[in-house]
Amino acid sequence: MLLHDVHVLLLGYNSQSFQFNHNSVTVSSQIEDPYIDDFVQLALLLKNLNSQIENNNDNNKDNNNIDNKDDDIYAFSPIIIALNVTVDASLKEFQNTINNVITDTTSLSLLRHKLDDWFTLIPHIYYLIILSRSNSLPIFLSELYSFSKLGDDVISSLSLNYFKIISKPYFSSISNWLFAGILDENDKTPYFFSSNKFIKENTPRFISISTAEKIFHIGSAINFLKSFLNDSQWCNEFYENNYNNQTDLLKTDIESLYKIVISHLNSLLLPIYLSEINFLHRFLLTFNGDLTYSILANGSSILKNNASSLSSNQLMSILQKSLDSSSISTNLPKDVFNRLDARLLNINIESSSAIDFFTLDYKVLTPVNSIISSSYKEYLRSFNIL
């Protein structure tokens, strides 16, 4: 009779001997056995685990159950969905185990012995659920990975199995970025990179900071090659030659991939970059030879007026005359001229003469314009007025 009721208890149901009451179990006063407390504690953990998995599954089905952003990240992250599925599978495995062993068990002590590993595993699984809710997902994965390296065979074996399953969507997303420059913006998981930024604090402990940073740069470079240099063919070949060959991201030679991708990017980008930077510095940092004197000669009568009284057409007229009368007109391609502009720095122009704030602007060609910040150009322009 008692064995039957313990069996029912571990399956999460009430019986004549045991009654669930929220987070406790009422035990019949007639029961006296040294193992009862162990079984009651295990039953409460199992009950709690089943409830949490059911709640998480309901949240995955109904977005209206999510009350805040943190819950949204938790419930809809592929990592957490994989965790729920894996824990659910473990709970079903326990139910199968208890149903099988109870048939030839004659005492509570024997049952306790047969379930000995589960008395270690269930509390550990419960702790993993709590850990996943109380920490960021990178920290949770780091802790899970650490458990897989412990000396306790029961804990390490389960943790390693969990890590392999739960980390699959995580490594899959990293691989998509690493080999194709693709990041799913709808994925709520806090990776150590976004589409334009390396996020050091999100790096899990099983990936070194230097490796994580290289992964970010490789994906960014591939994205740049496809988006700005129209080199999809090379990127597709890189993907085909490397993605299908990788079976374990932690064993992938990131350093070699980094050298391959960055070297190819540099071979295409550096010539364009150096050419544009040369023009940028010539116009915004030092001007070019007699261009400075030509601007002063052609514009002195106009630029001494109040800055607020000048139009953009007057400024461009000064620039055009100065270009035509300086040696620069014989040294540069025509399209470079078309990307030059003249304007006034917007600093108290109401009460200042235009010559104090006259500056040049230069439109940098794609793709170099995507890697030169506007603040850098403003820094260069400041030298125009010194």
Side-chain angles (χ1 to χ4, degrees):
M1 177 66 178
L2 185 56
L3 270 174
H4 170 270
D5 286 357
V6 168
H7 179 202
V8 173
L9 172 72
L10 294 177
L11 294 178
Y13 301 109
N14 294 324
S15 66
Q16 184 176 342
S17 302
F18 306 98
Q19 297 287 320
F20 284 96
N21 183 21
H22 299 294
N23 292 322
S24 64
V25 173
T26 301
V27 181
S28 172
S29 59
Q30 300 177 359
I31 299 176
E32 293 184 7
D33 190 285
Y35 295 105
I36 289 299
D37 286 345
D38 288 351
F39 288 116
V40 168
Q41 293 302 318
L42 184 63
L44 286 172
L45 288 177
L46 288 164
K47 189 82 168 177
N48 201 310
L49 277 172
N50 277 296
S51 295
Q52 291 202 44
I53 296 303
E54 288 175 6
N55 290 336
N56 290 336
N57 289 339
D58 289 341
N59 284 340
N60 290 334
K61 296 175 183 176
D62 185 3
N63 194 18
N64 293 325
N65 288 339
I66 303 303
D67 296 325
N68 57 58
K69 185 178 180 181
D70 289 338
D71 284 342
D72 182 62
I73 291 174
Y74 179 85
F76 291 98
S77 167
I79 293 174
I80 297 304
I81 293 173
L83 173 62
N84 292 337
V85 172
T86 308
V87 171
D88 190 47
S90 293
L91 294 177
K92 287 182 171 58
E93 183 182 350
F94 172 81
Q95 291 176 359
N96 291 333
T97 300
I98 186 67
N99 289 335
N100 290 331
V101 302
I102 199 69
T103 57
D104 59 350
T105 301
T106 56
S107 67
L108 289 183
S109 60
L110 182 57
L111 180 62
R112 177 63 176 82
H113 174 72
K114 289 182 177 181
L115 297 178
D116 188 56
D117 283 353
W118 286 105
F119 275 90
T120 300
L121 292 176
I122 295 301
H124 181 60
I125 294 171
Y126 183 79
Y127 176 72
L128 292 179
I129 290 290
I130 300 302
L131 193 66
S132 71
R133 293 303 304 260
S134 58
N135 293 276
S136 69
L137 294 179
I139 291 178
F140 167 65
L141 283 177
S142 297
E143 292 296 324
L144 181 57
Y145 182 79
S146 296
F147 281 126
S148 72
K149 302 299 180 181
L150 288 178
D152 188 309
D153 290 341
V154 175
I155 296 294
S156 61
S157 178
L158 177 129
S159 299
L160 180 59
N161 182 52
Y162 269 42
F163 181 78
K164 288 180 178 179
I165 296 172
I166 295 169
S167 65
K168 277 185 179 180
Y170 184 76
F171 285 127
S172 177
S173 294
I174 293 176
S175 294
N176 286 337
W177 175 257
L178 176 65
F179 296 104
I182 296 173
L183 179 63
D184 182 3
E185 298 296 341
N186 294 320
D187 188 345
K188 304 299 183 180
T189 304
Y191 296 102
F192 52 85
F193 55 84
S194 64
S195 58
N196 57 7
K197 182 181 179 181
F198 174 62
I199 309 171
K200 179 180 178 181
E201 59 270 23
N202 285 347
T203 306
R205 292 198 298 270
F206 48 83
I207 300 177
S208 69
I209 296 297
S210 60
T211 296
E213 201 164 7
K214 284 184 171 65
I215 290 173
F216 164 68
H217 287 305
I218 292 171
S220 297
I222 291 174
N223 196 300
F224 194 91
L225 285 165
K226 292 192 291 187
S227 301
F228 296 102
L229 294 174
N230 299 317
D231 199 11
S232 294
Q233 181 177 349
W234 186 91
C235 293
N236 291 337
E237 291 174 356
F238 174 81
Y239 177 87
E240 292 171 0
N241 292 335
N242 294 282
Y243 185 84
N244 293 333
N245 293 331
Q246 66 92 25
T247 56
D248 187 343
L249 190 64
L250 294 179
K251 297 179 182 179
T252 301
D253 189 351
I254 302 298
E255 181 68 31
S256 295
L257 296 177
Y258 178 81
K259 290 179 180 179
I260 292 171
V261 173
I262 299 303
S263 176
H264 182 69
L265 175 64
N266 287 342
S267 70
L268 298 181
L269 182 59
L270 277 180
I272 306 172
Y273 177 82
L274 292 176
S275 175
E276 287 298 294
I277 287 295
N278 177 49
F279 294 141
L280 187 63
H281 277 77
R282 289 171 69 179
F283 296 135
L284 301 191
L285 183 58
T286 61
F287 284 165
N288 189 83
D290 57 352
L291 178 59
T292 305
Y293 301 103
S294 296
I295 290 175
L296 293 174
N298 289 297
S300 57
S301 61
I302 298 176
L303 294 176
K304 67 182 180 181
N305 295 325
N306 189 282
S308 61
S309 66
L310 298 186
S311 67
S312 58
N313 287 336
Q314 287 176 296
L315 297 176
M316 283 303 299
S317 176
I318 294 172
L319 175 59
Q320 189 59 54
K321 290 178 181 178
S322 302
L323 288 171
D324 292 340
S325 61
S326 68
S327 61
I328 195 173
S329 61
T330 61
N331 298 327
L332 294 174
K334 186 175 180 179
D335 75 291
V336 174
F337 294 149
N338 296 334
R339 289 188 275 132
L340 273 171
D341 191 12
R343 68 180 185 88
L344 300 177
L345 292 173
N346 189 22
I347 308 175
N348 195 25
I349 62 173
E350 296 294 333
S351 59
S352 305
S353 60
I355 197 169
D356 291 330
F357 301 112
F358 178 88
T359 186
L360 296 181
D361 194 10
Y362 178 67
K363 184 179 180 182
V364 180
L365 286 177
T366 302
V368 180
N369 64 341
S370 65
I371 56 178
I372 296 181
S373 68
S374 58
S375 60
Y376 175 68
K377 292 181 69 177
E378 291 298 332
Y379 168 77
L380 293 180
R381 283 198 199 95
S382 67
F383 287 91
N384 287 187
I385 60 176
L386 296 180

